[in-house]
Amino acid sequence: MGPKATVTKRGAVLLGKYVACDGFSEARPLRVVTHAHSDHLSGLRTSLKRSESVIMTPATRDLINVIENPFSPVGENVRTLEYEEPFEYEADDITLHYSDHILGAAQVLVEDEEGTRILFTGDFRIPYTPIIQTDVLVIEATYGNPYRVRPFQSEVKNVLVSLVEEAVKQGPVYLFGYHGKIQEVMQILHEAKVDVPFIMPRKIFRISEICEKYGMSLGRRLLLSSSEEAQSMMRHDDSFLGFYHMASRRHVNDDVFRIYVSGWEFSGPCRMINNNAFRVALSSHSDFYGLLQYVEMSRPSMVITDNHRGGDAVVLAKEIRKRLKIPAEPLPR
Ligand SMILES: [Zn+2]
């Protein structure tokens, strides 16, 4: 009998006999997409052609439609599953569980015919991700190093709101982040009643519409950056918030006030980069202690740390062995 879980060289996380998560595998009839971030979509076109079913939440399907535009995963083999909706394949039960990461994100649980519970967390953040009891656990390792800790996490939202509120009195503020995170920031600012227009390019606008369709509340003043109204506000340096993807940060004029929203910040909730640029440590991943907490409470008899998607899988596996006395190895090697 082979191992019940592994990670292939191309990043497919194999669970049980039938499931490949976040990568294509010739040997597995089912492909599961945990969420719409690009490092979890590799081989998706092949899966859409060749897998028997491609499984994801409805929100993830909608997000991929926009993010990967014009490519749309609406092939006959796409099968959407709600959280905790049962799906049986041969003798295996497959369920998606909620993950607090971006809209639509899921953990993938396979229970095989021997009753072994095999799970891939995908990307997640403690404390709002439910911790699932497992026998074999495959866990993300983005912040898998003991230095990657954010003890100040509870202050980050307030710091972000204060920074934006102060800055937007003087004029426009540009915020940069990744898909999903950008909309989380909009929601935080909307809930804090930051009452200026939110301006954004089309792709971010469409992702925001999807987030609202699935229940997020982003406010009523979302404007396309190409619209007449937004263009006029930008010309006059009015007070507004501009929302852009991290990748377009070099295309936005250097002398505007900017805030980068990124988990890669451990010195404090907010760091000044220069007079008009700040980094705010809002993360959608667990820090090192969050990862350890998941493992400890999930009580697996073995752990695989995802060594395909960057982060610190080797160190995390070592720390799990040392601190929790649970066998753990990074894969692929
Ligand atoms: Zn992600």
Side-chain angles (χ1 to χ4, degrees):
M1 198 189 71
K4 297 209 174 197
T6 189
V7 185
T8 69
K9 283 212 160 51
R10 292 154 87 188
V13 178
L14 308 185
L15 307 177
K17 283 190 263 184
Y18 311 109
V19 170
C21 305
D22 295 352
F24 176 74
S25 166
E26 202 80 55
R28 304 295 153 122
L30 307 179
R31 161 76 184 263
V32 180
V33 181
T34 60
H35 66 286
H37 281 151
S38 60
D39 54 336
H40 296 260
L41 302 181
S42 66
L44 184 55
R45 281 179 174 76
T46 314
S47 296
L48 287 167
K49 278 193 221 115
R50 294 171 52 191
S51 300
E52 205 172 303
S53 293
V54 181
I55 296 168
M56 62 192 88
T57 62
T60 294
R61 177 204 52 201
D62 290 356
L63 288 174
I64 292 174
N65 263 328
V66 171
I67 292 171
E68 296 292 292
N69 197 29
F71 156 63
S72 48
V74 287
E76 284 170 8
N77 58 349
V78 171
R79 164 80 198 239
T80 58
L81 280 186
E82 303 288 345
Y83 296 121
E84 286 162 58
E85 180 183 345
F87 179 80
E88 248 177 72
Y89 189 90
E90 303 292 336
D92 283 9
D93 290 319
I94 295 137
T95 37
L96 304 182
H97 291 265
Y98 176 76
S99 167
D100 180 30
H101 177 61
I102 62 164
L103 179 77
Q107 313 179 66
V108 186
L109 176 67
V110 173
E111 294 173 82
D112 71 9
E113 53 194 338
E114 289 156 342
T116 307
R117 295 166 65 83
I118 311 155
L119 181 125
F120 176 43
T121 60
D123 291 347
F124 72 99
R125 161 174 68 180
I126 289 292
Y128 298 112
T129 299
I131 296 176
I132 313 285
Q133 298 285 303
T134 59
D135 300 301
V136 180
L137 172 65
V138 185
I139 190 167
E140 66 128 319
T142 307
Y143 299 122
N145 188 301
Y147 296 107
R148 306 299 191 201
V149 293
R150 286 179 295 262
F152 46 77
Q153 200 61 62
S154 61
E155 305 155 47
V156 172
K157 285 183 187 179
N158 290 337
V159 169
L160 171 68
V161 170
S162 316
L163 182 64
V164 170
E165 276 175 338
E166 255 338 284
V168 82
K169 287 179 193 161
Q170 321 292 326
V173 173
Y174 285 72
L175 296 111
F176 299 86
Y178 292 98
H179 292 314
K181 175 88 71 73
I182 295 172
Q183 286 72 21
E184 185 188 348
V185 170
M186 288 182 197
Q187 178 162 269
I188 291 168
L189 296 172
H190 171 58
E191 282 171 355
K193 304 201 163 37
V194 177
D195 190 26
V196 294
F198 293 1
I199 293 176
M200 65 207 78
R202 182 169 305 275
K203 190 180 266 194
I204 291 177
F205 189 86
R206 291 186 60 201
I207 293 169
S208 304
E209 287 180 322
I210 293 168
C211 290
E212 292 198 296
K213 173 179 154 192
Y214 287 95
M216 289 176 71
S217 174
L218 309 182
R220 290 176 182 277
R221 303 184 69 191
L222 307 191
L223 293 176
L224 266 177
S225 52
S226 57
S227 69
E228 195 62 48
E229 193 182 352
Q231 290 285 323
S232 157
M233 297 193 76
M234 292 194 273
R235 270 196 307 278
H236 296 102
D237 271 351
D238 288 347
S239 286
F240 64 85
L241 304 183
F243 290 90
Y244 288 83
H245 193 271
M246 200 63 100
S248 52
R249 61 191 183 278
R250 296 186 211 296
H251 305 298
V252 173
N253 191 351
D254 227 11
D255 42 68
V256 298
F257 190 94
R258 23 173 90 224
I259 298 172
Y260 304 106
V261 183
S262 163
W264 288 101
E265 180 59 54
F266 305 95
S267 59
C270 176
R271 190 162 68 87
M272 188 176 185
I273 299 169
N274 61 47
N275 273 339
N276 62 353
F278 289 80
R279 180 176 294 127
V280 172
L282 185 72
S283 177
S284 40
H285 292 268
S286 296
D287 72 359
F288 176 71
Y289 290 117
L291 294 170
L292 278 192
Q293 190 190 337
Y294 193 108
V295 176
E296 187 168 24
M297 294 177 67
S298 169
R299 302 167 57 90
S301 53
M302 68 161 294
V303 179
I304 293 165
T305 56
D306 181 356
N307 195 28
H308 178 76
R309 290 177 181 81
D312 272 306
V314 175
V315 176
L316 179 61
K318 193 179 108 203
E319 296 294 331
I320 290 168
R321 292 194 302 269
K322 193 171 87 187
R323 297 182 193 217
L324 304 177
K325 316 284 183 234
I326 299 171
E329 65 170 331
L331 288 175
R333 281 280 169 194

